[in-house]
Amino acid sequence: MFIFALTLLLLLGAALALAGLWACLGSRRGSRNPFVADARRPPAPLVTERDTRKRVLKQGFSRKKIPDGLDAVIIGSGYGGLAAAVILSKAGKRVLVLEQHGKAGGCCHTFSERGFEFDVGIHYIGQMQEGSSLRMMIDQLTDGQLQWAKMDSPFDVVIFGDQESNRRYFLYSGEKEYVEGLKRQFPGEDANIDGFVTLIKRVAKGSAHIAVLKMLPMPLVKFLHCSGLLALISPFFRMVSKSVSDVVSELTTNAELRAVFSYIFPTHGAFPAQSSFPLHAVLVDHFLEGGWYPQGGASEIAFHSIPIIERAGGAVLTKAPVQNILVNSQGKAYGVSVKKGQDTVNIYAPVVISDAGIFNTYERLLPAKWQALTEIQNQLSMVHHGIAGFSLFIGLKGSKEELGLEAKNYFIYRHNDLDEAYISYFNSSRETAAKNIPSLYIGCPSAKDPLWEKRYPGKSVLTILTAAKYEWFEEWKEEKVTKRGKEYESFKSSFVESIMESILKFYPQIEDKVGIELISAGTPLTNCHYIGSPRGEIYGAENSISRLQVEVTATVRPQTPIPNLYLTGQDVFLGGFPGALHGALVCASAVLQRNLYVDFMWLERKLKANSLKKNN
């Protein structure tokens, strides 16, 4: 037994040494280090002037705006595309980002309607405290211009049942406060709550191994997996086949506490019985210190990214729907074609990066001959479409103080059996679906943003999200947006009415005090049109147990079976804003042939050392 254990340790050491050697070598290859120096500068005042913002966020496509001498072209301006473009720009590359919508940003964009502004995908972000690695990374990718506002504590409120019989539970900012708050609300469950948080933190630390698997050579990944060393090394991959429901059921018999342990699953798009516990651990750990919101609104993310791309000689152009990825007779990508009116414009670049998602990239943008490649079909068989979303946007007259609105989120569930509620809902007929909505997320962007009142005095907004089945709306997919007919509008209205009935029970003041000025809804087809998701999904490919398996994690990487074609964004890593960012990091690492995690680690250490010196 001793010899066996010693052999395992020697093999483990050898594997880690090889991985470390590869990482170091990867950081010394030809391309320039984008993290060689601190890019931060003092934040400039918020820009509210409409034409100035339009020049950045709505630069419409034309032939004459295409930069010469491109090093890369990126399809899609979601954060996976923008972050990859910024990193490459900081490494001295000239990059063109093409966005099919009229405004850059993907799920980071905002839209305005009748004098109200709404976010569509950035509702809150965790780990944005000063000095955190994520905050430092975002600071480097926006030159320190993007500022963050801390949300209230509790930052999330979980509600089970209706207004008359609801039970409310509060999630507080800060690990100590989070744990103590749960213990006050669930007396006698102290050990189980401690066990949950300890497990969350231990498993979440292993999320770095996702990037490792996507960057290590496949033979080494297979060795680590088949030998059992990966499971030994990584608590993340050791638990990857366990669902959230499985794990929380082992932790406590209290049904309500199980539900509170699981409540945040809508923000990664798979209900507890479907979702891999390690992904859930990453998400819970991400919010242990609370939530933050970008000051000035979600569009500030794109607004402070695009100038960096432009300064390097690149551009971000909107209304630029890519029709095809150009592939030569040797099977190598060499550019894209864009539809401009009745014409097709070919744009050539030695590197093509897609932030359009794995399904759009492989099934829609690649020529049919190359779609049929065994390696591409193998990757497509490993992933599934995520759950589609239905959104409701409410515009109100009155400030947050007048309306009693707070900088926190509400998660409202019909009851505490979350799996049963979702399974019943997705098994509903189209006619009964709206009456069976299992949960609502409610956020108030106007209360979260301290600069809101400066931009929209005397106004407030609410954003409400729930899941929906694409198939319920599919028959209208060929119809034009805003012109899908009375039957579609009637069906959409059934969801709006059901949601509003719940909202007004929890927010009676918004109707009683001043009235509602605007209600606007978005269905899965709305998502298809504006953010290009093939089946109305918000978080890309389904974040299920199968998605996190070692083979899938390692196989779906930035490099594709088509030389010179790369993937970035959520589908390369995980769903959500941090997932898109890490998708961009592993993509840019592959393109630049550098380990950018190592590059950033050295800069982070230097900045922390300098900060320590100043404070001393």
Side-chain angles (χ1 to χ4, degrees), residues 180-231:
E180 289 178 351
L182 285 180
K183 288 179 178 179
R184 284 195 303 272
Q185 295 169 88
F186 292 96
E189 293 283 346
D190 290 21
N192 297 331
I193 291 166
D194 286 334
F196 174 71
V197 173
T198 299
L199 183 61
I200 286 292
K201 292 180 69 63
R202 184 170 75 244
V203 173
K205 281 181 182 178
S207 62
H209 299 141
I210 299 174
V212 171
L213 292 196
K214 292 182 183 294
M215 297 172 74
L216 284 178
M218 282 298 292
L220 183 52
V221 173
K222 289 178 179 177
F223 164 72
L224 288 170
H225 181 42
C226 295
S227 66
L229 289 174
L230 182 61

Side-chain angles (χ1 to χ4, degrees), residues 587-599:
C587 175
S589 292
V591 172
L592 296 173
Q593 296 186 25
R594 299 186 65 91
N595 188 322
L596 295 175
Y597 287 93
V598 173
D599 291 335

Side-chain angles (χ1 to χ4, degrees), residues 26-307:
S27 292
R28 291 187 172 89
R29 293 176 185 171
S31 297
R32 197 160 85 195
N33 178 4
F35 299 118
V36 70
D38 186 5
R40 293 174 299 174
R41 50 189 172 81
L46 177 71
V47 175
T48 57
E49 206 274 320
R50 186 171 297 179
D51 287 342
T52 302
R53 296 188 68 83
K54 183 178 177 181
R55 281 194 294 272
V56 175
L57 297 171
K58 295 184 176 182
Q59 191 66 239
F61 177 84
S62 69
R63 287 177 184 267
K64 65 182 181 181
K65 293 179 183 177
I66 301 170
D68 295 327
L70 288 174
D71 295 298
V73 59
I74 296 179
I75 306 165
S77 69
Y79 197 61
L82 284 179
V86 168
I87 294 167
L88 294 178
S89 299
K90 286 178 174 287
K93 305 297 182 183
R94 185 170 294 187
V95 184
L96 172 64
V97 181
L98 299 170
E99 169 56 49
Q100 57 94 24
H101 183 35
K103 192 173 186 179
C107 283
C108 295
H109 89 271
T110 57
F111 74 92
S112 297
E113 190 170 340
R114 286 167 48 187
F116 293 94
E117 180 184 279
F118 300 97
D119 58 23
V120 297
I122 300 296
H123 307 302
Y124 67 143
I125 306 294
Q127 296 178 336
M128 279 297 159
Q129 65 271 26
E130 290 284 350
S132 75
S133 292
L134 183 60
R135 175 63 181 270
M136 293 178 81
M137 173 63 73
I138 297 299
D139 281 351
Q140 293 305 313
L141 297 185
T142 58
D143 290 355
Q145 298 306 293
L146 185 60
Q147 300 298 294
W148 297 87
K150 183 79 181 284
M151 289 169 55
D152 294 342
S153 182
F155 61 96
D156 281 348
V157 181
V158 184
I159 303 172
F160 300 119
D162 57 28
Q163 177 65 13
E164 287 73 35
S165 61
N166 74 78
R167 290 90 65 206
R168 297 186 178 216
Y169 299 98
F170 304 94
L171 287 305
Y172 294 89
S173 304
E175 183 182 339
K176 180 182 177 184
E177 294 81 0
Y178 182 96
V179 170
E180 289 178 351
L182 285 180
K183 288 179 178 179
R184 284 195 303 272
Q185 295 169 88
F186 292 96
E189 293 283 346
D190 290 21
N192 297 331
I193 291 166
D194 286 334
F196 174 71
V197 173
T198 299
L199 183 61
I200 286 292
K201 292 180 69 63
R202 184 170 75 244
V203 173
K205 281 181 182 178
S207 62
H209 299 141
I210 299 174
V212 171
L213 292 196
K214 292 182 183 294
M215 297 172 74
L216 284 178
M218 282 298 292
L220 183 52
V221 173
K222 289 178 179 177
F223 164 72
L224 288 170
H225 181 42
C226 295
S227 66
L229 289 174
L230 182 61
L232 192 64
I233 300 165
S234 173
F236 185 95
F237 283 104
R238 189 159 59 246
M239 296 191 70
V240 80
S241 293
K242 286 203 164 194
S243 74
V244 176
S245 294
D246 291 337
V247 174
V248 301
S249 294
E250 293 169 3
L251 287 169
T252 178
T253 58
N254 186 316
E256 209 98 318
L257 181 56
R258 288 178 185 177
V260 171
F261 283 164
S262 309
Y263 84 93
I264 205 168
F265 73 88
T267 56
H268 56 68
F271 54 87
Q274 284 184 326
S275 181
S276 177
F277 179 77
L279 170 59
H280 190 73
V282 169
L283 191 61
V284 174
D285 181 67
H286 180 70
F287 287 112
L288 277 181
E289 293 300 322
W292 282 259
Y293 191 79
Q295 294 191 31
S299 64
E300 287 293 281
I301 297 168
F303 187 74
H304 291 301
S305 299
I306 292 171

